[in-house]
Amino acid sequence: MSLRITQGMMHTQLMRDLNRNLGRMQKLQEQMNSGMKINRPSDDPVGITYGLRYRSELSTNDQYQKNVSMANSWLEFSDKMLTQTEAVFHRLKELTIKASTGSNPQAALDAIRVEVEELRDQLIDIGNSKLNGKYVFNGQFTDEAPYTAGNAADDRTDSSRIPLVLGAGVEVTINISGNDIFGEPGTDDNAFKLVDDLITALQDGDFAGISASLDKQEQRMDKVLAMHAEIGARTNRVELIENRLKDLGLNLEAMQSKVEDADYGDLIIKSKINESIYNASLSVGAKIITPSLVDFLR
């Protein structure tokens, strides 16, 4: 039995073909306008899943990099403060050696004492250093000054750690305690106590006490240098983590781009091809259906 092709069937099929070609062309134009291959989940259900995953991982990576930036700022500031502390102790040692000469008159010792008092105040200022409004050498009590001007030798700073998460399972402590730098209260090599003892010895003309201060200064200086080395080691680790996070971010962006970003060169070619197909279907349709319907379609 033969199948009869009616005029209505031809019209219906033509409309389907025209709408399909128009839809393809519109989709390509939408991709060109947005710059994205995926503009809605239905465009690529699998691709949108990967795209969302990459976006989530990039967001997490960005937060890790912000934490790294904070860690770098804190560690660099601590490094500068330790450098200043070492400079104070170098000058203190020079003055102590100068004052330990037994031929020095009391007037010379008094002049040295005045400078030593200034160095003591400088050490307190370093101990009370603030970064972005937070005291860096008082553990987690960042809103409280760790040292008082009149009784710094007896002040105990908080030793709690301030950890920052810099990656999955990666945690780095960014702070050091003031007592780790300047010494525990009550110990002979406590920076503020040894300076106070030196000031007293200079005031009394006690040359034996002045000379005895040198060993204590050396002990404290060695511990300051050890803390400085630890800060350097943490800084190096943070720099390695930072480089890894940057590489990871670039890789994630590249993978996200492959999934989501449109290829303009390819889109332009496909758009021209689909435009030609659509125009050809309009031309063929004009010969198949009545002019009134073609006019309606236009």
Side-chain angles (χ1 to χ4, degrees):
M1 177 176 143
S2 61
L3 180 63
R4 179 172 177 268
I5 306 298
T6 66
Q7 191 72 16
M9 294 172 63
M10 295 174 62
H11 291 173
T12 301
Q13 185 61 43
L14 177 61
M15 290 296 295
R16 288 175 182 170
D17 293 340
L18 287 174
N19 287 332
R20 183 174 60 253
N21 293 337
L22 180 61
R24 289 174 180 172
M25 189 167 63
Q26 288 176 336
K27 184 177 180 179
L28 291 171
Q29 290 176 345
E30 182 181 30
Q31 291 178 356
M32 292 178 65
N33 291 334
S34 66
M36 306 287 290
K37 286 192 293 187
I38 305 175
N39 292 288
R40 56 184 63 84
S42 60
D43 290 342
D44 186 353
V46 176
I48 196 67
T49 301
Y50 282 103
L52 291 174
R53 183 187 303 171
Y54 294 144
R55 287 175 184 271
S56 176
E57 292 180 4
L58 279 169
S59 177
T60 301
N61 190 69
D62 287 343
Q63 184 58 56
Y64 287 150
Q65 292 196 49
K66 290 178 182 177
N67 288 356
V68 164
S69 179
M70 182 186 299
N72 274 329
S73 297
W74 198 287
L75 292 171
E76 287 174 4
F77 185 79
S78 298
D79 176 80
K80 291 178 181 178
M81 293 304 100
L82 288 172
T83 299
Q84 292 184 19
T85 302
E86 292 161 8
V88 169
F89 271 98
H90 283 308
R91 181 56 181 164
L92 186 64
K93 183 178 181 180
E94 292 175 359
L95 293 173
T96 304
I97 294 173
K98 183 177 180 181
S100 62
T101 304
S103 59
N104 279 320
Q106 187 59 42
L109 296 180
D110 289 341
I112 293 174
R113 175 177 56 80
V114 171
E115 185 172 352
V116 171
E117 289 173 346
E118 293 294 330
L119 293 177
R120 179 185 184 277
D121 292 340
Q122 179 62 17
L123 285 177
I124 294 175
D125 289 341
I126 294 173
N128 290 333
S129 298
K130 298 172 73 175
L131 176 65
N132 295 329
K134 297 180 179 180
Y135 293 100
V136 297
F137 296 131
N138 200 21
Q140 295 185 1
F141 292 90
T142 57
D143 58 341
E144 299 178 11
Y147 295 106
T148 55
N151 199 30
D154 295 327
D155 289 329
R156 183 180 297 278
T157 61
D158 180 50
S159 59
S160 301
R161 298 167 58 250
I162 300 179
L164 280 181
V165 178
L166 306 182
V170 179
E171 190 176 272
V172 175
T173 299
I174 62 172
N175 70 309
I176 53 177
S177 168
N179 289 154
D180 291 334
I181 303 171
F182 303 106
E184 295 286 341
T187 58
D188 289 338
D189 67 341
N190 178 279
F192 304 109
K193 183 179 185 302
L194 69 85
V195 173
D196 288 341
D197 291 344
L198 178 59
I199 290 172
T200 300
L202 289 168
Q203 189 171 357
D204 297 340
D206 180 6
F207 290 100
I210 294 172
S211 297
S213 178
L214 285 172
D215 289 338
K216 299 175 183 177
Q217 292 177 31
E218 289 290 345
Q219 293 175 17
R220 177 45 46 194
M221 186 62 171
D222 289 342
K223 293 177 181 178
V224 172
L225 290 172
M227 293 308 301
H228 205 162
E230 183 174 334
I231 288 293
R234 294 184 198 175
T235 301
N236 290 337
R237 185 187 179 196
V238 170
E239 288 178 354
L240 291 174
I241 294 172
E242 182 179 23
N243 292 333
R244 183 177 62 81
L245 289 174
K246 287 180 179 178
D247 290 340
L248 177 59
L250 291 174
N251 289 335
L252 288 172
E253 288 175 356
M255 288 187 290
Q256 182 190 23
S257 178
K258 288 181 180 179
V259 172
E260 297 183 352
D261 291 352
D263 183 346
Y264 277 101
D266 184 56
L267 283 178
I268 290 173
I269 294 173
K270 288 182 178 179
S271 179
K272 290 297 182 182
I273 293 174
N274 277 271
E275 183 179 353
S276 298
I277 292 173
Y278 180 67
N279 290 332
S281 63
L282 286 176
S283 178
V284 172
K287 298 176 182 179
I288 296 176
I289 62 178
T290 59
S292 60
L293 180 56
V294 174
D295 292 339
F296 173 78
L297 291 175
R298 289 176 180 173

